[in-house]
Amino acid sequence: MRESTIGLLTFPIERSGIHPTSNLIGILSSLTREPIPLVTGNAGRAFENDARVRFSGVDHAGGGSVASRVLQNIATQVRMARRIREVDGTGTWLFFFGGEVLVLPMLAAKLSGKKVILALPGHTPLMMAPARDRLLLPAGILTGITCRLCDRIVLYSPALVDHWGLGQYREKITIAREHLLDFEAFRVKVPLDERPMAVGYIGRLADEKGVWNFVRALPRLAADTDLHFLIGGDGPLLPAIREFIRENGLSERVTLAGWIRHDDLPCHLNRLRLLVMPSCTEGLPNIMLEAMACGTPLLAAPVGAVPDFVHDGVTGFILAPNTPEGIAASVIDILGRSELTSIAETARKCVEQEITYERAVERFAAVIEGLGD
């Protein structure tokens, strides 16, 4: 147990960031005697009354034009930097969601004599690339600066070192995960062979998630099978996806569930025969682990830390090629396999062994203690 407090900072998060941030707060709380100083905002205001933290809110409003986005980002970083300077008693700051672009707050922490850990659940430049975001180059520059400034970089898997182009920082990289699963909630409630013939995608509806590949596979799957489809989540692509479904006469076959509360995920996962994850880039997606715990087979693109858990034909299925045609062909092939139930059971046992609170605390304790004071 550390005497000095560990501070946690994230760029103002979306709803999808609440659960991972809560997991990390729980892990860090076991390593310090005091409530965790938490700087975040937007959906992160869910932690305002959380007894585990000392909350400091900074909200962010995204701009429309490039100039407006840049100005808003700078203003948000300035406010976060001020919050860091105002917090007493922290020996270490851990930067989480979006931390790789937060140069000004990181400078504030370093100039105050603090140690800085950069924990990367994703890689902002790679997430921006599929949409050809005009701020991709600045994001890459900012990421290079923060990777140089920080004292330690935490990744979910050694595979991410090369996947995210972080080889030059290899000496400061450590592997740890904040992922935790409630195996009482995320479990097999409906046997696989008793579930409806439904295939789903659950996640952010954005270019980097590859969701368009799944959506564009639906007309072919609808023509060749009696499957129904679930698309759960929200994001910038939702209006276009809704229009595509309408134009292709798929409204009776596709359920657009919108944002799914975390507590409701086990119910949805237990209604699927297969979950498709066609992402262009990933860290270690929670939905993958949650699906495995629920005995829901996975068809996933081999990006990020996904291959650490999805072994083709053993604990799930690797998607290749990651195209609409590839998805349609793979879905039909997988649902016809007799060994699907045993593969789902092997996947469930895998996550039960690997994703534990004790292991998460042990790894983060090693990261923080390795910095010294």
Side-chain angles (χ1 to χ4, degrees), residues 89-320:
T90 56
T92 301
W93 278 95
L94 193 154
F95 284 52
F96 194 35
F97 279 106
E100 68 269 36
V101 298
L102 296 179
V103 170
L104 297 182
M106 192 173 290
L107 280 171
K110 296 294 289 184
L111 292 173
S112 299
K114 313 301 183 185
K115 300 289 187 180
V116 174
I117 299 169
L118 179 58
L120 296 176
H123 189 272
T124 296
L126 282 179
M127 292 170 64
M128 296 169 71
R132 296 180 175 86
D133 195 301
R134 293 175 66 183
L135 294 180
L136 175 61
L137 179 58
I141 293 171
L142 294 177
T143 298
I145 294 171
T146 55
C147 285
R148 287 177 176 84
L149 283 175
C150 70
D151 298 285
R152 186 77 77 239
I153 298 172
V154 177
L155 302 179
Y156 293 145
S157 166
L160 291 170
V161 177
D162 294 327
H163 180 56
W164 288 347
L166 301 175
Q168 62 184 307
Y169 311 111
R170 199 178 300 273
E171 74 285 351
K172 64 169 71 174
I173 290 175
T174 305
I175 306 303
R177 307 177 185 124
E178 89 287 340
H179 298 71
L180 302 173
L181 284 175
D182 178 357
F183 289 106
E184 290 298 313
F186 288 90
R187 59 185 175 86
V188 180
K189 299 178 181 179
V190 181
L192 190 62
D193 59 4
E194 296 179 14
R195 299 181 187 184
M197 292 300 292
V199 174
Y201 167 92
I202 299 175
R204 178 169 162 77
L205 304 182
D207 289 291
E208 73 273 8
K209 293 296 185 178
V211 63
W212 266 123
N213 286 343
F214 176 70
V215 172
R216 289 179 175 131
L218 298 185
R220 178 170 299 188
L221 285 168
D224 294 344
T225 71
D226 294 325
L227 290 169
H228 286 258
F229 309 97
L230 169 73
I231 298 176
D234 59 16
L237 297 181
L238 178 57
I241 290 172
R242 184 183 290 116
E243 182 63 16
F244 181 91
I245 290 169
R246 186 192 65 79
E247 289 179 348
N248 285 272
L250 296 171
S251 299
E252 297 298 318
R253 302 279 293 273
V254 180
T255 298
L256 286 172
W259 175 259
I260 299 175
R261 293 174 58 251
H262 192 259
D263 291 346
D264 295 331
L265 279 174
C267 180
H268 286 277
L269 289 169
N270 270 272
R271 293 173 182 163
L272 295 178
R273 294 279 181 124
L274 183 68
L275 183 72
V276 180
M277 296 178 51
S279 301
C280 302
T281 181
E282 281 289 356
L284 179 60
N286 282 291
I287 191 64
M288 175 184 75
L289 304 174
E290 291 159 348
M292 295 171 78
C294 289
T296 303
L298 288 161
L299 171 63
V303 293
V306 168
D308 289 3
F309 287 84
V310 179
H311 306 293
D312 194 45
V314 180
T315 58
F317 301 92
I318 292 298
L319 174 58

